[in-house]
Amino acid sequence: MKLQDVVFSETITKYRQSEIDEIGQWARDRVLPSPVHLEIGSNRGRFLLEMAELHQKHTILGIEIRRKFAKTLQVEIDQRELPNVHILGADAMLALPLLFQDGALESVYLLFP
């Protein structure tokens, strides 16, 4: 098979527009006070929840591609009443450029990629 030249921005827009729209809606529904501490790949949320409890004055966002895990984690966040932590079920490669400008993140954690 011959490789084709692909313009990723057009391809992403064409095939992943619904995901992009969902991320945009999630962002419109929330205000995240700066600076934000970000965890990519939150899995079941152990690190994210520990960080939120230890650093209650920080805004902490987790992005988890497996939406089932993100939904389960949101329930845990609500039960623990942690207003400083947020979870987004999305692909971080789509979410990051939509959510943050350069310099908006205080720290980024990427554990066990």
Side-chain angles (χ1 to χ4, degrees):
M1 176 172 16
K2 184 179 178 190
L3 294 176
Q4 301 178 66
D5 291 331
V6 176
V7 177
F8 286 105
S9 60
E10 290 177 15
T11 302
I12 288 171
T13 301
K14 183 176 180 180
Y15 293 104
R16 300 185 80 182
Q17 188 62 54
S18 65
E19 292 174 78
I20 293 168
D21 292 344
E22 288 176 22
I23 294 165
Q25 185 60 52
W26 184 91
R28 283 188 291 279
D29 291 344
R30 282 158 194 80
V31 175
L32 299 182
S34 292
V36 174
H37 299 262
L38 174 68
E39 181 193 18
I40 299 172
S42 299
N43 198 300
R44 298 181 193 273
R46 185 174 175 188
F47 179 80
L48 188 72
L49 294 170
E50 294 269 340
M51 285 290 293
E53 288 177 345
L54 288 172
H55 304 284
Q56 295 183 13
K57 293 185 180 183
H58 295 167
T59 301
I60 302 171
L61 171 63
I63 299 177
E64 173 55 52
I65 196 166
R66 293 168 290 188
R67 292 174 186 228
K68 177 181 175 181
F69 286 1
K71 287 178 183 178
T72 301
L73 186 50
Q74 184 61 60
V75 170
E76 183 75 18
I77 291 167
D78 294 343
Q79 288 174 347
R80 292 188 188 197
E81 298 179 353
L82 296 168
N84 64 319
V85 66
H86 307 271
I87 184 69
L88 170 60
D91 184 335
M93 292 191 330
L94 292 176
L96 288 176
L98 292 172
L99 297 178
F100 301 107
Q101 296 178 355
D102 289 348
L105 296 172
E106 178 76 17
S107 58
V108 177
Y109 302 93
L110 180 61
L111 307 174
F112 308 107

